[in-house]
Amino acid sequence: MSASDEKITIYLGCDGFGQDLLNSIKEHLNTKEDITIEDLGCDTYYDAAAKVAKEVTNQNPNSKLGILFCGTGMGVGIVANKFGGVRAATCENVTAARCARAVNNANVLCLGGMVTKPDIAINIVDAFLKQQFIHRPCCGDTGEPVPWWSDGVETFLSTSMDGIQKVEKEASLYGAKK
């Protein structure tokens, strides 16, 4: 989990194609003492994504995260990313989940119930939750650190959130002009 001993709140949401996978992940997460689960229910993929996104937008990603489920994980991810301060990542393997947190400071994990088996999803979720932003991630199941990480990467990432906020502001102004 996070570097601190604080409880983390995880908001869950899904559409009908992601319901079974949500239930599997929820059962797994309920075994962890340092996690509070908020299941926001099953809805259309876009409404489920909006519900979770509203809960995590601009929140501390070490205390509030979201996990969304649909058929592929892509639909919920596209919609969640419409909300400023949300960095949703559709991940189909452990390395992608670790990199989503380490490099992109992702605060919403998106999974596909039609493309990801529950045992694989559990590993992806655990990797996502364990990984911290600007901490060197490891590759897949080997545990070997990624070879491309450097001080230069860490320096870039230390200012990347400011850059992303600037682009989000610009994007919102651009959209308002249309």
Side-chain angles (χ1 to χ4, degrees):
M1 279 325 101
S2 66
S4 70
D5 291 332
E6 296 177 27
K7 271 194 148 189
I8 187 167
T9 300
I10 300 177
Y11 297 91
L12 304 176
C14 69
D15 72 1
F17 291 107
Q19 181 74 65
D20 290 342
L21 191 56
L22 178 147
N23 290 339
S24 295
I25 295 302
K26 183 177 175 181
E27 182 179 326
H28 171 69
L29 292 175
N30 277 328
T31 68
K32 299 181 180 290
E33 293 180 13
D34 54 350
I35 293 176
T36 300
I37 303 294
E38 294 287 336
D39 186 345
L40 303 180
C42 185
D43 209 326
T44 62
Y45 76 90
Y46 43 88
D47 285 330
K51 288 175 187 176
V52 169
K54 288 174 187 175
E55 295 295 334
V56 301
T57 188
N58 295 317
Q59 297 293 321
N60 179 347
N62 292 322
S63 64
K64 293 188 179 197
L65 294 169
I67 305 177
L68 286 164
F69 307 84
C70 67
T72 63
M74 292 177 208
V76 289
I78 289 167
V79 174
N81 279 321
K82 302 281 185 194
F83 289 79
V86 172
R87 295 169 304 281
T90 300
C91 298
E92 296 177 347
N93 61 60
V94 167
T95 301
R98 288 180 180 143
C99 289
R101 292 278 286 148
V103 176
N104 304 113
N105 202 17
N107 55 3
V108 177
L109 174 63
C110 304
L111 296 168
M114 296 188 314
V115 297
T116 309
K117 294 179 181 180
D119 58 326
I120 301 297
I122 287 169
N123 292 336
I124 292 169
V125 167
D126 286 347
F128 184 82
L129 296 177
K130 190 180 290 184
Q131 184 66 50
Q132 294 296 300
F133 182 50
I134 315 179
H135 285 86
R136 186 179 195 158
C138 295
C139 295
D141 297 330
T142 67
E144 293 292 320
V146 294
W148 47 264
W149 196 266
S150 67
D151 289 342
V153 169
E154 289 187 16
T155 300
F156 168 76
L157 293 175
S158 70
T159 62
S160 65
M161 290 298 102
D162 292 335
I164 289 171
Q165 288 175 349
K166 178 183 166 208
V167 171
E168 282 180 345
K169 183 177 180 181
E170 181 181 321
S172 70
L173 295 173
Y174 179 78
K177 293 178 184 177
K178 296 291 176 179

